[in-house]
Amino acid sequence: MNELIFRGKDRFRPDWSDLGPVLIVVTAELVAGHLKFHLGLGPMVLLVGGTVVLAAASRLLSMRYWSRVGTDGVTISWGFGRGRTYSWQQISWIDVSEFQGRGAPTRVARVHTTDGRRHWMSTVMASDLHPSEDFDADFRRVVDWWKHSTSPSQRVLPEKRFRDWLTPMRAAVLCTIVLAVVLFVFTVVLAQ
């Protein structure tokens, strides 16, 4: 079997639609900084420059992500260094993590290791923002490598945990409820 390499620079290419959210945030910073906080030119340049630098750095970092599947196992790099290799003996299960994004679900290949940890293969993913027609085929090739390199007795479906139930959407709802309760209590205490 041929080694598989999934690179962020092939999957996360910037395009003009990435510029829209940055322009909205920069415009809001300029309007609020000038009209509301009456900031001078120096602080405004730092504020806007910091936003642009953070947006560019996060985009460049995601382009450096990569995952490799080969005879030694699965190697995942989050943009720094040589990455971390999980040997086939360390991998107990491979599945797809799916969570709801801004409309369409985001699907990411996930590796479960024998120590109970889960690791996303960030470059084997499909979402509304980064569509991938080849996601199912790529995932199938990763699973084929796994099945080819391990015995059936090594493939153990991990038990469900709390973090499997706690999706980003559910976490946001819980945080909103907690914030509402805290604000309600704070308002009641101030009213007395």
Side-chain angles (χ1 to χ4, degrees), residues 58-98:
S58 68
R59 172 55 70 178
L60 291 174
L61 183 62
S62 69
M63 290 177 64
R64 291 179 46 91
Y65 295 170
W66 59 269
S67 301
R68 183 179 65 234
V69 179
T71 55
D72 55 344
V74 176
T75 304
I76 301 171
S77 174
W78 289 91
F80 298 108
R82 295 179 291 146
R84 171 88 191 264
T85 300
Y86 303 98
S87 70
W88 293 117
Q89 287 68 39
Q90 289 177 289
I91 298 173
S92 63
W93 197 257
I94 297 178
D95 65 3
V96 174
S97 176
E98 186 171 311

Side-chain angles (χ1 to χ4, degrees), residues 87-124:
S87 70
W88 293 117
Q89 287 68 39
Q90 289 177 289
I91 298 173
S92 63
W93 197 257
I94 297 178
D95 65 3
V96 174
S97 176
E98 186 171 311
F99 50 91
Q100 198 63 25
R102 291 174 274 148
T106 297
R107 300 183 308 156
V108 182
R110 182 170 62 172
V111 173
H112 299 260
T113 53
T114 54
D115 62 0
R117 301 177 110 187
R118 293 150 170 83
H119 308 279
W120 283 354
M121 296 178 68
S122 61
T123 51
V124 184

Side-chain angles (χ1 to χ4, degrees), residues 99-104 165-176:
F99 50 91
Q100 198 63 25
R102 291 174 274 148
W165 176 83
L166 189 64
T167 63
M169 183 66 76
R170 288 179 178 158
V173 169
L174 287 174
C175 288
T176 303

Side-chain angles (χ1 to χ4, degrees), residues 24-186:
I24 291 170
V25 170
V26 166
T27 302
E29 288 175 348
L30 289 172
V31 169
H34 180 68
L35 297 178
K36 175 77 174 155
F37 300 110
H38 308 292
L39 297 177
L41 181 62
M44 291 294 285
V45 168
L46 287 174
L47 182 66
V48 170
T51 300
V52 170
V53 165
L54 284 174
S58 68
R59 172 55 70 178
L60 291 174
L61 183 62
S62 69
M63 290 177 64
R64 291 179 46 91
Y65 295 170
W66 59 269
S67 301
R68 183 179 65 234
V69 179
T71 55
D72 55 344
V74 176
T75 304
I76 301 171
S77 174
W78 289 91
F80 298 108
R82 295 179 291 146
R84 171 88 191 264
T85 300
Y86 303 98
S87 70
W88 293 117
Q89 287 68 39
Q90 289 177 289
I91 298 173
S92 63
W93 197 257
I94 297 178
D95 65 3
V96 174
S97 176
E98 186 171 311
F99 50 91
Q100 198 63 25
R102 291 174 274 148
T106 297
R107 300 183 308 156
V108 182
R110 182 170 62 172
V111 173
H112 299 260
T113 53
T114 54
D115 62 0
R117 301 177 110 187
R118 293 150 170 83
H119 308 279
W120 283 354
M121 296 178 68
S122 61
T123 51
V124 184
M125 60 98 58
S127 69
D128 213 14
L129 188 59
H130 301 289
S132 174
E133 309 83 34
D134 301 331
F135 174 78
D136 292 322
D138 290 342
F139 178 71
R140 179 86 259 153
R141 294 183 344 195
V142 171
V143 169
D144 288 345
W145 257 104
W146 172 56
K147 287 184 176 179
H148 175 75
S149 303
T150 59
S151 67
S153 63
Q154 288 177 280
R155 301 180 210 137
V156 179
L157 179 64
E159 60 189 41
K160 292 280 187 185
R161 294 187 179 176
F162 177 72
R163 66 180 170 207
D164 293 324
W165 176 83
L166 189 64
T167 63
M169 183 66 76
R170 288 179 178 158
V173 169
L174 287 174
C175 288
T176 303
I177 292 169
V178 168
L179 181 63
V181 168
V182 168
L183 288 175
F184 177 75
V185 169
F186 185 70

